[in-house]
Every structure is written in C-alpha cells, then in structure tokens.
Amino acid sequence: MALGSGGQFYDELETMTVEARREHLNQRLREAVDHAYRNAPAAREMLDRAGVRPADIRTVEDLERLPVTRKTDLIELQRRNPPYGGFLAIPAEDVERVFISPGPIYEPLHGGRIKWFARSFYAAGFRKGDIVVNTFTYHLSPAGLLFHEALRDCGATPVVTGTGNTDIQVQTMLDLRVTGFVGTPSFLMTLIRRAEEIGHDFRRDFAVRRAWFTGEPLSPSVRKTLEEDYHISTCQAYAVTEPGGALAYECPEKNGLHFMDDYVVEIVDHETGKQLGPGEIGEIVVTPLHNRAWGLIRFGTGDMSSYVTEPCPCGRTAYRLVGIMGRTGDAVKVRGMFVVTRQVEEAVSGVAGVSRFQVVVGREGQRDRMTVRVEPAGEGVDRDTLTSELNERVQSVCRVRVDRVEFLPAGSIPDGAPRVVDERKWD
Ligand SMILES: [Zn+2]
C-alpha cells in the first residue's frame, strides 16, 4: 500500500497485531542497540559500564538493564565531548541536518524526510487539498521542518508562516482560504480572537476546519470551544525534541495518544528505571529507532504519564498514552504509586463543593498517609458526601486510597500553594 494513499490508515503498521508489533519493535531495537554500540562511543561506554552486551538486549523488557539518560546528562556529555557527546553513530559528513534544543543540545539527523511522521497528521484528517499554516518555528528546533514535511507526505500544502506575526497569520488564513492549523491551542485561540477583534465572523469568513496541536496541553474547555463553536476538528500529538519527533498521536477517537512505532516508549519508575505496567504512572522514556545518526538509548523525557492497552475503536492497534500528567519533579510516590499534580487536579475538579484543596503526603510509622485538605465552598456543603466523593474520585483517578479528608476554614490554603506537598522526612 502506498503511504497515505487515501484509506483510513496511513500505513499498515498502524493496524499490526499486538504480537507482530512486539516482534517488529524488538527486531528494530536489537538493530538500533547494535548499531549504536558499534558506532557511538557514548552508547558503548554506557552499555559497558552497565555490564551489558548488545546481544543481551533482545526485547523491550531487556532495556531495563540500561540506565536512563536525561537532558542534563546530554548537555554535560556534549559540553565535555563536543559536538555530539559521543552519540553520533554515522560519519559526520553523512549527517543530513542538525537541530538545536535549549541547552544547547545538538541533534544530528539522518534521513531528513521521515515519511512515517505523517501518521499523526493523517490521523488528524489532513489530506491533499488542505492548505495549512504551520505556526511552529522553522529555526533551531525540529518542529517546523518535520511538521512541514509530514504535511506534504499527507498531500497537504503547508504555508511557511512560522511563529508569531499574528496579523500576518490572520490575513494569510483569509487570503489563502487556509483549511488547517498546526501549532499550539493558545495560538489558534489568539488568531481567532484577533480575527474577531478586527471585525470578522470567524466561522463565516474563514475556512479552517482542522487543527493539529503539540507543545502544550489541550484543555477540555478549549477543545470544546474550537470543536463546537468554531467547527474545527482538533487532534494533538506528544512530541519531544531531543529524540526528534512525535512519540504518540491522537486518532479520531480523541481518547489517548497511540504510540508511534518508530520509537520504543517505556513508562518507568523514574527513581529505579524499572518498567511499569498499564495504568501505572511513571516517566516516559524513549529510544528512537528511526535515526541512525543518533545513538541515543533510553532518553528520559521527564514527563509523567501512563498507558492503556484496551483496543481503540479506531482500529489502530498501538497502545495509548493517557495525556501528560506532569513532570518527574512534581511527582510524589505514595505507597509505591506516583501521584502527580495534574492528576490530583483532575480528580478533585470532578467533585462539587470544593473551593480550595491540597494533598499532603506524610508518614505514620512505616506507612505513607495521604490526606486531602479541603476548604469547602460555603456552609451548606455536606461534609460526609464530599468526603466519600473525594475518596472515590481520587482512588479512581490516582489509584491511591485517601487516608483522611480534613476540612479547613476558608482562607487557610494560600494562593499559589502547591497542590501536592510531601511532608515525609527523608534521611
Ligand atoms: Zn485510536
């Protein structure tokens, strides 16, 4: 099947069986580790230090034996051993392009036109005939160029607008009858508001009907506004610059983000590096399989999430990432489970009668205790009902039982206080 030839799926990998995918990923992982070990001195050193031979890494599960490399490690390694920190795995003259992330981190790319990247845009509905403003930067970071090429691979025509220039973007969208937007949700909202400020009726005068987002979370309320008020179909992807691309993407079901098959994505306990199962929250760790120039193995993104294995009604078979719940720095481990600010907010936002709240993790003997402190919204709130609703919501969203709900007078929790506080003493 030709790539992006007009069917429901971009390519046949999207509908592989679970078994076929496991074999596909294991096979490519073995090749990637072997190639990195042979050609990238930093990868070789990392394996040697862990006492692991490339032949020991047969499956995704075997990756647990290797340490996680983080952004700060990469910056330091590149500073000591410029320019690529020993991760370059092909001759320097064969590097097709170099991207630069804050740090700086220099990221060599081999194979500039990566066809599979388009899966994410294809799933969002981009096709031949679409004219799309690509409002990501074309400088330094991979975003602008990679998204541009992916739009082309779906047959769409990108307009090279890049970031900023609100008025020019609005005029361009009008003049070219632009049908698609690629950027952040907040920037699309800015463009719509600007168009309305200068007297346009956005729905009547503009032709934008689909949007693809990454770079910031898409809140349910913004999504609702865009979809219902402006009839713009929205899809988001999870992209990370260092490993070079979108690791997961939404399908028309908009219920979780399917893993991209050109990476091995693990969810791990960021303190131990051990892999976690479906539904457990941990750090997203990624090994790119598509870029022979870059011998990066187990890159720790610092983002926390979990994944689900239930089949998706869209027909894509890759497991799905459940949004991004926060950063490793915000995560607090309670009785072996990570609890993250965003997740707690999600849990409590579903309970009526809460004005302010704070989750406090302490210890009683050898046991962690989780307390939810609540300022009720007024005198009329039934405390027993509120307590049982909080218990139920937090348990279902965070998978950790609440030990106690404590009611505080209004004004006890200051503005800007952290949502999750760890009061345990570590010595
Ligand atoms: Zn799906």
Side-chain angles (χ1 to χ4, degrees), residues 89-333:
I90 59 170
E93 63 269 28
D94 292 339
V95 172
E96 214 166 304
R97 56 181 76 162
V98 181
F99 295 114
I100 307 168
S101 292
I105 295 175
Y106 298 104
E107 299 137 19
L109 181 66
H110 184 241
R113 286 191 65 79
I114 304 172
K115 289 275 185 187
W116 54 262
F117 199 79
R119 275 180 214 133
S120 157
F121 291 91
Y122 199 80
F126 289 91
R127 298 289 187 277
K128 194 176 178 64
D130 274 315
I131 301 172
V132 185
V133 283
N134 179 12
T135 70
F136 280 107
T137 178
Y138 279 77
H139 294 137
L140 302 172
S141 108
L145 268 179
L146 285 188
F147 301 163
H148 182 109
E149 289 170 343
L151 285 164
R152 281 303 300 141
D153 291 333
C154 292
T157 302
V159 186
V160 191
T161 52
T163 53
N165 300 307
T166 304
D167 287 344
I168 295 174
Q169 304 264 12
V170 169
Q171 190 65 44
T172 303
M173 285 158 79
L174 195 61
D175 291 345
L176 297 183
R177 299 288 298 159
V178 161
T179 59
F181 170 90
V182 168
T184 59
S186 57
F187 193 49
L188 178 54
M189 288 310 299
T190 301
L191 296 180
I192 292 173
R193 299 285 178 246
R194 183 65 188 144
E196 288 172 343
E197 253 168 50
I198 56 179
H200 291 290
D201 177 335
F202 194 85
R203 266 172 304 188
R204 189 193 60 208
D205 303 340
F206 287 74
V208 178
R209 59 173 182 256
R210 63 184 106 263
W212 184 97
F213 301 126
T214 193
E216 69 182 31
L218 172 60
S219 74
S221 66
V222 169
R223 170 166 255 173
K224 191 162 179 285
T225 302
L226 290 170
E227 301 243 349
E228 290 176 14
D229 299 351
Y230 294 100
H231 309 300
I232 297 172
S233 167
T234 61
C235 265
Q236 51 184 339
Y238 169 60
V240 181
T241 58
E242 293 83 2
L247 311 187
Y249 58 103
E250 267 184 345
C251 64
E253 297 293 323
K254 303 176 187 184
N255 183 18
L257 296 87
H258 290 284
F259 288 133
M260 192 72 94
D261 286 312
D262 297 82
Y263 303 89
V264 168
V265 182
E266 303 164 81
I267 303 293
V268 311
D269 178 326
H270 66 276
E271 288 164 5
T272 64
K274 293 288 172 214
Q275 292 169 356
L276 300 172
E280 294 183 288
I281 294 180
E283 182 181 10
I284 302 169
V285 167
V286 56
T287 302
L289 303 174
H290 64 284
N291 183 5
R292 287 176 65 77
W294 200 204
L296 194 61
I297 298 170
R298 292 200 105 196
F299 177 76
T301 62
D303 291 321
M304 302 288 284
S305 186
S306 66
Y307 71 99
V308 292
T309 57
E310 285 79 26
C312 182
C314 80
R316 287 172 186 78
T317 48
Y319 294 158
R320 282 168 293 161
L321 200 63
V322 187
I324 300 303
M325 295 161 178
R327 299 283 299 167
T328 48
D330 311 326
V332 172
K333 208 176 200 178

Side-chain angles (χ1 to χ4, degrees), residues 33 36-38 40-48 85-87 295-297:
V33 170
Y37 187 84
R38 280 197 238 197
R44 173 185 292 257
E45 209 181 301
M46 186 262 285
L47 267 90
D48 286 349
F87 285 100
L296 194 61
I297 298 170

Side-chain angles (χ1 to χ4, degrees), residues 14-32:
E14 289 192 301
T15 52
M16 277 188 286
T17 63
V18 170
E19 260 319 302
R21 172 167 292 106
R22 185 174 298 140
E23 194 33 57
H24 172 86
L25 288 178
N26 286 341
Q27 173 67 31
R28 292 184 65 189
L29 175 66
R30 290 195 282 268
E31 287 164 13

